[in-house]
């Protein structure tokens, strides 16, 4: 009987481990399509389609090639007007297990839409200049306490991005220099913890870093997070407070533990319209 109970316990534990190690991080990929209405948005840009990719954490091995190709193909299938990359492209640590940067650049280059990128804390650990060169080879515009004007078919808007707030100095005045007052403005920060600091004039902020908790359990909800929950308890999704709007994506990869559980990787896609502040979820 003892052997039977051991086997009865081992089988579900093994299945759960396979799910967390293989199925959820590699075979699952959520595409969340949402419509957001913003009072200060330019009506000429109604319907602008933005894809947000966070925390790719490209590792080594042929399984990673499959995962990244799936991400690229899925993004392209959404036909976004612009793709915003919110940092942590690599696994940067003392024992780095990151994908070769030329390989990673080749994958990101396949994304057809214009790309704008910021850095995350793992990019700093790995080496900013190496990651910057990788992103530029992939055709991405890199922002670090800076902004860029983006020309769309029906008008123009601005994207501003700060340096990673966890590891680097960031400056709002420098970041927003050159952005005309009242211009449509999308703001990027790797971590959502700066939400309450957001300066006036920002229409919406996109972030990553949290991985949505990466491992979530019923009742307990989360056992891992990449941000300090005492500063911001919103691990993923929308934050709407005091007229400010932010969205934190669950991201695409893993760090520390190479597992995901009840928190599948996510590509976030948004259609932005002018109107009273509200959102309509899941437009697929």
């Amino acid at each position: 009987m003892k052997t039977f109970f051991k086997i009865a316990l081992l089988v579900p534990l093994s299945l759960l481990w396979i799910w967390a190690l293989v199925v959820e991080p590699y075979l699952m990929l959520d595409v969340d399509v949402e419509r957001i209405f913003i009072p200060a948005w330019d009506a000429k840009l109604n319907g602008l389609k933005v894809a947000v990719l966070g925390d790719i954490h490209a590792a080594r091995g042929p399984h990673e090639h499959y995962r990244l190709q799936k991400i690229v193909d899925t993004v392209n299938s959404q036909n976004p007007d612009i793709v915003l990359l919110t940092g942590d492209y690599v696994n940067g640590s003392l024992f780095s297990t990151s994908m070769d940067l030329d390989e990673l650049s080749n994958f990101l280059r396949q994304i057809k839409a214009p790309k704008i990128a910021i850095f995350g804390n793992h990019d700093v650990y790995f080496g900013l200049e190496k990651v910057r060169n990788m992103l530029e080879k992939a055709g991405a515009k890199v922002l670090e306490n800076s902004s860029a004007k983006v020309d769309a078919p029906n008008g123009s808007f601005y994207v501003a991005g700060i340096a990673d707030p966890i590891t680097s100095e960031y400056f709002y005045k420098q970041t927003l220099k050159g952005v005309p007052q009242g211009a449509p403005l999308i703001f990027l920060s790797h971590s959502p913890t700066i939400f309450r600091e957001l300066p006036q004039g920002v229409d919406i902020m996109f972030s990553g870093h949290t991985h949505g908790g990466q491992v979530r359990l019923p009742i307990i909800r989360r056992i891992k997070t990449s941000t300090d929950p005492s500063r911001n308890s919103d691990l993923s999704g929308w934050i709407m407070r005091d007229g400010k709007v932010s969205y934190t994506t669950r991201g695409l990869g893993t760090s520390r533990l190479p597992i995901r559980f009840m928190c599948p990787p996510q590509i976030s896609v948004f259609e932005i319209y002018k109107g009273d502040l509200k959102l309509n979820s899941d437009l697929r």
Side-chain angles (χ1 to χ4, degrees):
M1 288 294 288
K2 287 184 178 180
T3 301
F4 172 80
F5 284 117
K6 287 180 180 178
I7 294 173
L9 180 63
L10 183 61
V11 170
L13 288 177
S14 298
L15 292 175
L16 286 174
W17 183 249
I18 292 170
W19 180 273
L21 191 66
V22 178
V23 176
E24 196 159 317
Y26 288 97
L27 303 182
M28 297 180 67
L29 181 57
D30 285 354
V31 180
D32 295 324
V33 184
E34 303 196 29
R35 181 177 292 161
I36 176 72
F37 293 83
I38 300 174
W41 192 248
D42 187 345
K44 293 186 296 184
L45 293 166
N46 276 352
L48 184 80
K49 196 171 187 181
V50 176
V52 178
L53 308 185
D55 304 282
I56 292 172
H57 286 289
R60 296 174 184 165
H63 54 292
E64 281 292 280
H65 293 186
Y66 168 82
R67 183 174 74 92
L68 263 69
Q69 192 63 59
K70 184 177 181 179
I71 291 168
V72 168
D73 292 344
T74 304
V75 172
N76 286 337
S77 72
Q78 292 296 312
N79 296 312
D81 296 304
I82 191 166
V83 173
L84 304 177
L85 303 161
T86 62
D88 276 5
Y89 312 96
V90 296
N91 287 328
S93 60
L94 182 61
F95 303 103
S96 177
T97 57
S98 292
M99 176 181 288
D100 176 81
L101 291 189
D102 286 335
E103 287 185 306
L104 179 53
S105 179
N106 287 337
F107 278 111
L108 295 179
R109 189 183 298 120
Q110 295 178 45
I111 295 175
K112 297 175 182 178
K115 299 175 285 289
I116 294 182
I118 58 172
F119 294 121
N121 54 302
H122 281 263
D123 305 317
V124 175
Y125 305 150
F126 189 90
L128 279 187
E129 290 311 308
K130 291 186 288 187
V131 177
R132 187 193 307 275
N133 290 337
M134 180 277 296
L135 290 167
E136 290 176 346
K137 287 180 181 178
K141 170 70 176 177
V142 181
L143 300 180
E144 188 180 13
N145 294 322
S146 58
S147 63
K149 183 181 180 181
V150 181
D151 293 320
N154 297 322
S156 299
F157 63 99
Y158 286 79
V159 179
I162 57 172
D164 172 55
I166 300 164
T167 60
S168 309
E169 291 186 294
Y170 59 98
F171 308 97
Y172 294 119
K173 186 175 181 180
Q174 178 181 326
T175 301
L176 299 178
K177 183 180 180 181
V179 178
Q181 187 174 2
L185 175 60
I186 297 172
F187 197 88
L188 303 180
S189 169
H190 177 62
S191 171
T193 55
I194 60 101
F195 173 71
R196 287 184 173 86
E197 307 171 10
L198 274 180
Q200 294 296 319
V202 173
D203 290 320
I204 187 169
M205 181 179 84
F206 294 120
S207 298
H209 179 62
T210 67
H211 300 196
Q214 194 168 302
V215 173
R216 293 192 171 204
L217 299 175
I219 303 175
I220 298 174
R221 294 296 294 164
R222 66 175 183 263
I223 64 172
K224 186 234 181 256
T225 175
S226 297
T227 192
D228 178 0
S230 67
R231 294 182 62 192
N232 191 315
S233 60
D234 301 282
L235 288 179
S236 64
W238 291 101
I239 311 172
M240 294 184 179
R241 295 177 189 147
D242 303 323
K244 298 178 181 179
V245 187
S246 174
Y247 187 91
T248 303
T249 180
R250 293 196 305 269
L252 295 157
T254 62
S255 65
R256 300 181 189 174
L257 299 174
I259 60 174
R260 277 185 176 265
F261 187 75
M262 295 182 69
C263 189
Q266 175 189 50
I267 293 173
S268 304
V269 181
F270 306 93
E271 296 176 5
I272 307 178
Y273 292 83
K274 182 179 179 64
D276 294 336
L277 186 60
K278 63 179 180 179
L279 61 96
N280 295 330
S281 299
D282 200 5
L283 299 177
R284 286 170 294 173

